Amino acid sequence: MESRFLGIAELTDVPDVAVVVDVMRAYTVAAWAFARGAERVVLAESSEDALALKARRPDWLTLKDGPPGPGFDLVNSPALLRGTHLAGRTVVQKTTAGTVGALAVKDASLVLCASFVVAGATAGLLRERACERVTFVVTGGGGRAEEDLACAEYIARRAGGGAVDAGPYLRRADASRSAAELRQGVREGSTPEDVALCLEPDRFPFAMVAGAEDSLMVLRRVAPVDPPSA
């Protein structure tokens, strides 16, 4: 499998297959939403769009970066989300980097959204679909966020087959600026506990595939037939 690693601003073409990586925290949070029973996650282009969707569908739940805000039900924190009962619900997610990255490659033939918690299943799906060329979109830090790059490289290695030690990749992510800021409480709407939850490789046995549904970019969980072993 041929892999390239680009930031959002570096995307100059429409990739065939894109894996959008946001470890801390968008696609760790989305995975937890599915684990708590969410049916789908709608990726909103802006906070205004998220609130407009909520106005049309009051039963949908809205989620954003930062502190709680008017009209939003949830914040972008796995620790604060994991106790929430979401069975059958639709979650509308708008974040600073993760959702922006997915919408930037919405015309790709296959869009996966990923973090460490779904790394193995994401790699398994890439293998299952025999993807030859994959663009990994490193969403944080202008494409330089160490936690996202480490996760992207880890998934790429695992998709290539054979055993891969997660340890070096997790240590890079744990030493990242994002992890430090979460531990220090710099980012509102989060908790230091988020770091550990973002660094649990293969916590969930499903990948997350995004696609167009009724003019919306919708994320759904998909279980690969045969996820690779670690």
Side-chain angles (χ1 to χ4, degrees), residues 4 16 20 46 74 84 88 104 106 127 142 156 161 171 176 191 215:
R4 63 175 180 168
D16 181 34
V20 185
S46 67
L74 306 165
T84 306
K106 63 182 179 181
R127 287 168 59 88
R171 286 191 288 274
S176 68
T191 170
S215 77

Side-chain angles (χ1 to χ4, degrees), residues 14 27 66 91-92 191 197 216:
V14 178
Y27 296 131
V91 176
V92 181
T191 170
L197 292 176
L216 300 174

Side-chain angles (χ1 to χ4, degrees), residues 137-220:
V137 182
V138 180
T139 60
R144 301 295 179 266
E146 188 64 17
E147 71 280 5
D148 293 342
L149 183 58
C151 183
E153 292 175 354
Y154 176 59
I155 293 170
R157 284 284 307 279
R158 291 193 65 179
V164 181
D165 180 9
Y169 301 94
L170 294 171
R171 286 191 288 274
R172 286 168 56 191
D174 191 48
S176 68
R177 177 179 178 180
S178 295
E181 289 179 349
L182 289 174
R183 289 193 180 95
Q184 295 162 8
V186 172
R187 299 187 181 187
E188 294 185 277
S190 67
T191 170
E193 189 179 358
D194 286 336
V195 176
L197 292 176
C198 290
L199 300 181
E200 292 185 303
D202 308 331
R203 171 77 188 240
F204 304 117
F206 54 81
M208 300 186 295
V209 178
E213 297 183 21
D214 299 324
S215 77
L216 300 174
M217 190 68 165
V218 176
L219 193 61
R220 292 188 182 273

Side-chain angles (χ1 to χ4, degrees), residues 26-68:
Y27 296 131
T28 301
V29 167
W32 270 100
F34 286 122
R36 297 301 300 151
E39 178 181 349
R40 62 180 183 168
V41 175
V42 175
L43 306 177
E45 293 193 15
S46 67
S47 295
E48 292 75 18
D49 287 341
L51 293 174
L53 288 169
K54 172 81 170 180
R56 295 198 296 271
R57 296 293 302 268
D59 56 319
W60 288 9
L61 299 173
T62 46
L63 184 154
K64 65 184 269 300
D65 271 337

